[in-house]
mmCIF file of all heavy atoms in Angstrom:
data_model
loop_
_atom_site.group_PDB
_atom_site.id
_atom_site.type_symbol
_atom_site.label_atom_id
_atom_site.label_comp_id
_atom_site.label_asym_id
_atom_site.label_seq_id
_atom_site.Cartn_x
_atom_site.Cartn_y
_atom_site.Cartn_z
ATOM 1 N N TYR A 11 84.891 84.090 99.057
ATOM 2 C CA TYR A 11 84.976 84.866 97.828
ATOM 3 C C TYR A 11 86.439 85.212 97.557
ATOM 4 O O TYR A 11 87.296 85.136 98.449
ATOM 5 C CB TYR A 11 84.146 86.151 97.946
ATOM 6 C CG TYR A 11 84.487 87.005 99.147
ATOM 7 C CD1 TYR A 11 85.462 87.997 99.083
ATOM 8 C CD2 TYR A 11 83.836 86.824 100.365
ATOM 9 C CE1 TYR A 11 85.782 88.762 100.176
ATOM 10 C CE2 TYR A 11 84.148 87.591 101.468
ATOM 11 C CZ TYR A 11 85.118 88.564 101.372
ATOM 12 O OH TYR A 11 85.438 89.314 102.470
ATOM 13 N N GLU A 12 86.712 85.590 96.331
ATOM 14 C CA GLU A 12 88.074 85.938 95.955
ATOM 15 C C GLU A 12 88.425 87.328 96.469
ATOM 16 O O GLU A 12 87.633 88.268 96.343
ATOM 17 C CB GLU A 12 88.232 85.894 94.431
ATOM 18 C CG GLU A 12 88.163 84.492 93.844
ATOM 19 C CD GLU A 12 88.457 84.484 92.368
ATOM 20 O OE1 GLU A 12 88.762 85.565 91.817
ATOM 21 O OE2 GLU A 12 88.382 83.401 91.762
ATOM 22 N N LEU A 13 89.605 87.433 97.038
ATOM 23 C CA LEU A 13 90.074 88.728 97.510
ATOM 24 C C LEU A 13 90.674 89.500 96.337
ATOM 25 O O LEU A 13 90.764 89.000 95.225
ATOM 26 C CB LEU A 13 91.089 88.530 98.621
ATOM 27 C CG LEU A 13 90.555 87.763 99.838
ATOM 28 C CD1 LEU A 13 91.664 87.518 100.843
ATOM 29 C CD2 LEU A 13 89.402 88.503 100.491
ATOM 30 N N ALA A 14 91.043 90.742 96.601
ATOM 31 C CA ALA A 14 91.570 91.585 95.536
ATOM 32 C C ALA A 14 92.798 90.945 94.894
ATOM 33 O O ALA A 14 93.645 90.352 95.579
ATOM 34 C CB ALA A 14 91.920 92.964 96.091
ATOM 35 N N SER A 15 92.905 91.069 93.604
ATOM 36 C CA SER A 15 94.014 90.476 92.867
ATOM 37 C C SER A 15 95.204 91.429 92.832
ATOM 38 O O SER A 15 95.085 92.631 93.099
ATOM 39 C CB SER A 15 93.582 90.161 91.435
ATOM 40 O OG SER A 15 93.344 91.356 90.718
ATOM 41 N N ARG A 16 96.340 90.880 92.455
ATOM 42 C CA ARG A 16 97.543 91.699 92.288
ATOM 43 C C ARG A 16 97.313 92.759 91.214
ATOM 44 O O ARG A 16 97.753 93.903 91.347
ATOM 45 C CB ARG A 16 98.729 90.796 91.931
ATOM 46 C CG ARG A 16 100.030 91.536 91.750
ATOM 47 C CD ARG A 16 101.198 90.564 91.616
ATOM 48 N NE ARG A 16 101.467 89.905 92.880
ATOM 49 C CZ ARG A 16 101.490 88.579 93.054
ATOM 50 N NH1 ARG A 16 101.234 87.780 92.037
ATOM 51 N NH2 ARG A 16 101.765 88.062 94.242
ATOM 52 N N ASP A 17 96.606 92.403 90.150
ATOM 53 C CA ASP A 17 96.334 93.366 89.080
ATOM 54 C C ASP A 17 95.476 94.523 89.584
ATOM 55 O O ASP A 17 95.702 95.684 89.221
ATOM 56 C CB ASP A 17 95.635 92.670 87.904
ATOM 57 C CG ASP A 17 96.564 91.761 87.123
ATOM 58 O OD1 ASP A 17 97.800 91.895 87.281
ATOM 59 O OD2 ASP A 17 96.063 90.916 86.366
ATOM 60 N N GLU A 18 94.475 94.227 90.425
ATOM 61 C CA GLU A 18 93.639 95.292 90.982
ATOM 62 C C GLU A 18 94.465 96.223 91.866
ATOM 63 O O GLU A 18 94.281 97.451 91.852
ATOM 64 C CB GLU A 18 92.489 94.688 91.790
ATOM 65 C CG GLU A 18 91.411 94.037 90.951
ATOM 66 C CD GLU A 18 90.356 93.360 91.802
ATOM 67 O OE1 GLU A 18 90.710 92.425 92.560
ATOM 68 O OE2 GLU A 18 89.177 93.774 91.711
ATOM 69 N N PHE A 19 95.369 95.652 92.638
ATOM 70 C CA PHE A 19 96.241 96.430 93.515
ATOM 71 C C PHE A 19 97.090 97.393 92.691
ATOM 72 O O PHE A 19 97.169 98.599 92.975
ATOM 73 C CB PHE A 19 97.114 95.455 94.307
ATOM 74 C CG PHE A 19 97.824 96.048 95.497
ATOM 75 C CD1 PHE A 19 97.464 97.263 96.047
ATOM 76 C CD2 PHE A 19 98.868 95.341 96.084
ATOM 77 C CE1 PHE A 19 98.129 97.786 97.149
ATOM 78 C CE2 PHE A 19 99.540 95.850 97.194
ATOM 79 C CZ PHE A 19 99.171 97.073 97.711
ATOM 80 N N ARG A 20 97.705 96.875 91.634
ATOM 81 C CA ARG A 20 98.556 97.704 90.781
ATOM 82 C C ARG A 20 97.731 98.763 90.051
ATOM 83 O O ARG A 20 98.174 99.900 89.862
ATOM 84 C CB ARG A 20 99.285 96.826 89.763
ATOM 85 C CG ARG A 20 100.236 95.794 90.387
ATOM 86 C CD ARG A 20 101.415 96.482 91.087
ATOM 87 N NE ARG A 20 102.324 95.508 91.652
ATOM 88 C CZ ARG A 20 102.299 95.102 92.914
ATOM 89 N NH1 ARG A 20 101.389 95.578 93.745
ATOM 90 N NH2 ARG A 20 103.171 94.214 93.364
ATOM 91 N N ALA A 21 96.517 98.403 89.636
ATOM 92 C CA ALA A 21 95.663 99.355 88.934
ATOM 93 C C ALA A 21 95.265 100.512 89.829
ATOM 94 O O ALA A 21 95.208 101.675 89.395
ATOM 95 C CB ALA A 21 94.427 98.648 88.394
ATOM 96 N N THR A 22 94.980 100.214 91.104
ATOM 97 C CA THR A 22 94.629 101.288 92.037
ATOM 98 C C THR A 22 95.804 102.228 92.232
ATOM 99 O O THR A 22 95.633 103.456 92.257
ATOM 100 C CB THR A 22 94.179 100.704 93.383
ATOM 101 O OG1 THR A 22 92.979 99.959 93.181
ATOM 102 C CG2 THR A 22 93.928 101.799 94.404
ATOM 103 N N LEU A 23 97.005 101.687 92.364
ATOM 104 C CA LEU A 23 98.188 102.538 92.486
ATOM 105 C C LEU A 23 98.318 103.450 91.270
ATOM 106 O O LEU A 23 98.555 104.657 91.406
ATOM 107 C CB LEU A 23 99.447 101.680 92.632
ATOM 108 C CG LEU A 23 100.768 102.464 92.657
ATOM 109 C CD1 LEU A 23 100.840 103.385 93.874
ATOM 110 C CD2 LEU A 23 101.962 101.501 92.633
ATOM 111 N N ALA A 24 98.131 102.880 90.084
ATOM 112 C CA ALA A 24 98.233 103.680 88.861
ATOM 113 C C ALA A 24 97.171 104.776 88.826
ATOM 114 O O ALA A 24 97.453 105.918 88.408
ATOM 115 C CB ALA A 24 98.106 102.777 87.636
ATOM 116 N N ASP A 25 95.966 104.464 89.275
ATOM 117 C CA ASP A 25 94.886 105.458 89.283
ATOM 118 C C ASP A 25 95.164 106.574 90.284
ATOM 119 O O ASP A 25 94.848 107.746 90.020
ATOM 120 C CB ASP A 25 93.554 104.790 89.610
ATOM 121 C CG ASP A 25 93.048 103.900 88.482
ATOM 122 O OD1 ASP A 25 93.536 104.053 87.340
ATOM 123 O OD2 ASP A 25 92.180 103.052 88.752
ATOM 124 N N VAL A 26 95.723 106.228 91.434
ATOM 125 C CA VAL A 26 96.091 107.246 92.423
ATOM 126 C C VAL A 26 97.174 108.159 91.858
ATOM 127 O O VAL A 26 97.096 109.392 91.957
ATOM 128 C CB VAL A 26 96.555 106.578 93.734
ATOM 129 C CG1 VAL A 26 97.203 107.605 94.668
ATOM 130 C CG2 VAL A 26 95.380 105.897 94.432
ATOM 131 N N GLU A 27 98.181 107.569 91.240
ATOM 132 C CA GLU A 27 99.272 108.359 90.662
ATOM 133 C C GLU A 27 98.781 109.220 89.508
ATOM 134 O O GLU A 27 99.278 110.337 89.293
ATOM 135 C CB GLU A 27 100.390 107.428 90.206
ATOM 136 C CG GLU A 27 101.128 106.754 91.347
ATOM 137 C CD GLU A 27 102.183 105.778 90.882
ATOM 138 O OE1 GLU A 27 102.003 105.146 89.812
ATOM 139 O OE2 GLU A 27 103.210 105.638 91.576
ATOM 140 N N ALA A 28 97.794 108.723 88.761
ATOM 141 C CA ALA A 28 97.258 109.487 87.633
ATOM 142 C C ALA A 28 96.590 110.779 88.081
ATOM 143 O O ALA A 28 96.450 111.723 87.283
ATOM 144 C CB ALA A 28 96.265 108.631 86.847
ATOM 145 N N LEU A 29 96.194 110.836 89.335
ATOM 146 C CA LEU A 29 95.599 112.053 89.891
ATOM 147 C C LEU A 29 96.661 113.050 90.357
ATOM 148 O O LEU A 29 96.333 114.108 90.906
ATOM 149 C CB LEU A 29 94.675 111.699 91.062
ATOM 150 C CG LEU A 29 93.405 110.934 90.674
ATOM 151 C CD1 LEU A 29 92.685 110.420 91.921
ATOM 152 C CD2 LEU A 29 92.473 111.817 89.859
ATOM 153 N N GLY A 30 97.933 112.697 90.174
ATOM 154 C CA GLY A 30 99.024 113.586 90.528
ATOM 155 C C GLY A 30 99.570 113.404 91.925
ATOM 156 O O GLY A 30 100.425 114.184 92.367
ATOM 157 N N ALA A 31 99.107 112.385 92.615
ATOM 158 C CA ALA A 31 99.550 112.168 93.988
ATOM 159 C C ALA A 31 100.849 111.363 94.037
ATOM 160 O O ALA A 31 101.049 110.455 93.225
ATOM 161 C CB ALA A 31 98.476 111.433 94.777
ATOM 162 N N GLU A 32 101.711 111.714 94.980
ATOM 163 C CA GLU A 32 102.811 110.817 95.313
ATOM 164 C C GLU A 32 102.205 109.602 95.995
ATOM 165 O O GLU A 32 101.385 109.739 96.902
ATOM 166 C CB GLU A 32 103.802 111.487 96.260
ATOM 167 C CG GLU A 32 104.612 112.606 95.654
ATOM 168 C CD GLU A 32 105.661 113.111 96.631
ATOM 169 O OE1 GLU A 32 106.483 112.273 97.082
ATOM 170 O OE2 GLU A 32 105.641 114.310 96.958
ATOM 171 N N ALA A 33 102.600 108.412 95.560
ATOM 172 C CA ALA A 33 101.937 107.214 96.071
ATOM 173 C C ALA A 33 102.901 106.044 96.137
ATOM 174 O O ALA A 33 103.911 106.003 95.428
ATOM 175 C CB ALA A 33 100.735 106.852 95.190
ATOM 176 N N ILE A 34 102.536 105.096 96.992
ATOM 177 C CA ILE A 34 103.314 103.872 97.135
ATOM 178 C C ILE A 34 102.355 102.735 97.455
ATOM 179 O O ILE A 34 101.376 102.923 98.189
ATOM 180 C CB ILE A 34 104.393 104.018 98.252
ATOM 181 C CG1 ILE A 34 105.294 102.791 98.318
ATOM 182 C CG2 ILE A 34 103.747 104.326 99.598
ATOM 183 C CD1 ILE A 34 106.474 102.969 99.280
ATOM 184 N N ALA A 35 102.618 101.559 96.883
ATOM 185 C CA ALA A 35 101.822 100.360 97.167
ATOM 186 C C ALA A 35 102.630 99.450 98.073
ATOM 187 O O ALA A 35 103.782 99.108 97.761
ATOM 188 C CB ALA A 35 101.461 99.634 95.875
ATOM 189 N N LEU A 36 102.031 99.035 99.187
ATOM 190 C CA LEU A 36 102.739 98.269 100.201
ATOM 191 C C LEU A 36 101.966 96.989 100.519
ATOM 192 O O LEU A 36 101.029 97.010 101.322
ATOM 193 C CB LEU A 36 102.916 99.099 101.475
ATOM 194 C CG LEU A 36 103.724 100.389 101.304
ATOM 195 C CD1 LEU A 36 103.624 101.245 102.555
ATOM 196 C CD2 LEU A 36 105.180 100.070 100.988
ATOM 197 N N PRO A 37 102.342 95.865 99.903
ATOM 198 C CA PRO A 37 101.671 94.604 100.236
ATOM 199 C C PRO A 37 101.919 94.231 101.689
ATOM 200 O O PRO A 37 102.988 94.509 102.242
ATOM 201 C CB PRO A 37 102.339 93.597 99.285
ATOM 202 C CG PRO A 37 103.002 94.415 98.229
ATOM 203 C CD PRO A 37 103.385 95.700 98.881
ATOM 204 N N GLY A 38 100.925 93.609 102.300
ATOM 205 C CA GLY A 38 101.089 93.165 103.677
ATOM 206 C C GLY A 38 99.773 92.724 104.272
ATOM 207 O O GLY A 38 98.706 93.175 103.855
ATOM 208 N N ASP A 39 99.862 91.834 105.246
ATOM 209 C CA ASP A 39 98.699 91.262 105.920
ATOM 210 C C ASP A 39 98.496 91.986 107.239
ATOM 211 O O ASP A 39 99.361 91.927 108.131
ATOM 212 C CB ASP A 39 98.947 89.763 106.156
ATOM 213 C CG ASP A 39 97.737 89.035 106.725
ATOM 214 O OD1 ASP A 39 96.829 89.700 107.267
ATOM 215 O OD2 ASP A 39 97.709 87.796 106.635
ATOM 216 N N VAL A 40 97.368 92.667 107.400
ATOM 217 C CA VAL A 40 97.144 93.459 108.619
ATOM 218 C C VAL A 40 96.982 92.597 109.855
ATOM 219 O O VAL A 40 97.013 93.108 110.983
ATOM 220 C CB VAL A 40 95.920 94.388 108.474
ATOM 221 C CG1 VAL A 40 96.136 95.394 107.369
ATOM 222 C CG2 VAL A 40 94.633 93.598 108.270
ATOM 223 N N THR A 41 96.824 91.284 109.703
ATOM 224 C CA THR A 41 96.702 90.402 110.861
ATOM 225 C C THR A 41 98.054 89.907 111.352
ATOM 226 O O THR A 41 98.121 89.200 112.352
ATOM 227 C CB THR A 41 95.806 89.192 110.547
ATOM 228 O OG1 THR A 41 96.498 88.286 109.670
ATOM 229 C CG2 THR A 41 94.500 89.611 109.913
ATOM 230 N N VAL A 42 99.127 90.276 110.660
ATOM 231 C CA VAL A 42 100.481 89.839 111.015
ATOM 232 C C VAL A 42 101.280 91.062 111.472
ATOM 233 O O VAL A 42 101.539 91.974 110.679
ATOM 234 C CB VAL A 42 101.171 89.165 109.818
ATOM 235 C CG1 VAL A 42 102.606 88.771 110.175
ATOM 236 C CG2 VAL A 42 100.374 87.951 109.352
ATOM 237 N N GLU A 43 101.665 91.088 112.735
ATOM 238 C CA GLU A 43 102.277 92.300 113.270
ATOM 239 C C GLU A 43 103.559 92.674 112.549
ATOM 240 O O GLU A 43 103.827 93.864 112.329
ATOM 241 C CB GLU A 43 102.538 92.171 114.772
ATOM 242 C CG GLU A 43 103.071 93.459 115.371
ATOM 243 C CD GLU A 43 102.861 93.568 116.870
ATOM 244 O OE1 GLU A 43 102.673 92.521 117.531
ATOM 245 O OE2 GLU A 43 102.888 94.706 117.384
ATOM 246 N N ALA A 44 104.359 91.702 112.165
ATOM 247 C CA ALA A 44 105.593 92.021 111.449
ATOM 248 C C ALA A 44 105.304 92.738 110.136
ATOM 249 O O ALA A 44 106.023 93.669 109.741
ATOM 250 C CB ALA A 44 106.399 90.743 111.199
ATOM 251 N N ASP A 45 104.253 92.317 109.445
ATOM 252 C CA ASP A 45 103.859 92.989 108.201
ATOM 253 C C ASP A 45 103.419 94.422 108.482
ATOM 254 O O ASP A 45 103.790 95.360 107.761
ATOM 255 C CB ASP A 45 102.702 92.242 107.530
ATOM 256 C CG ASP A 45 103.152 91.055 106.699
ATOM 257 O OD1 ASP A 45 104.314 90.622 106.865
ATOM 258 O OD2 ASP A 45 102.349 90.555 105.888
ATOM 259 N N VAL A 46 102.607 94.599 109.513
ATOM 260 C CA VAL A 46 102.101 95.933 109.850
ATOM 261 C C VAL A 46 103.249 96.867 110.215
ATOM 262 O O VAL A 46 103.313 98.011 109.743
ATOM 263 C CB VAL A 46 101.084 95.852 110.999
ATOM 264 C CG1 VAL A 46 100.706 97.251 111.487
ATOM 265 C CG2 VAL A 46 99.839 95.091 110.562
ATOM 266 N N GLU A 47 104.152 96.387 111.049
ATOM 267 C CA GLU A 47 105.296 97.211 111.451
ATOM 268 C C GLU A 47 106.122 97.620 110.235
ATOM 269 O O GLU A 47 106.567 98.769 110.118
ATOM 270 C CB GLU A 47 106.151 96.451 112.461
ATOM 271 C CG GLU A 47 107.268 97.281 113.060
ATOM 272 C CD GLU A 47 107.974 96.574 114.196
ATOM 273 O OE1 GLU A 47 107.800 95.340 114.347
ATOM 274 O OE2 GLU A 47 108.701 97.252 114.952
#
């Protein structure tokens, strides 16, 4: 199946920020240690 799109990722960040939260979006693959670090 298709994984989450870049647009969905950006939309979630916008929705979190719309609630007044300080937020940051950090792309990365949790199976790659360098990305996780």
Side-chain angles (χ1 to χ4, degrees):
Y11 54 90
E12 291 186 3
L13 301 175
S15 68
R16 181 171 290 124
D17 288 344
E18 288 175 299
F19 195 16
R20 298 294 181 264
T22 296
L23 175 64
D25 290 342
V26 169
E27 291 177 328
L29 292 170
E32 291 186 57
I34 185 173
L36 299 170
D39 186 341
V40 297
T41 72
V42 177
E43 185 158 21
D45 278 15
V46 172
E47 187 172 15

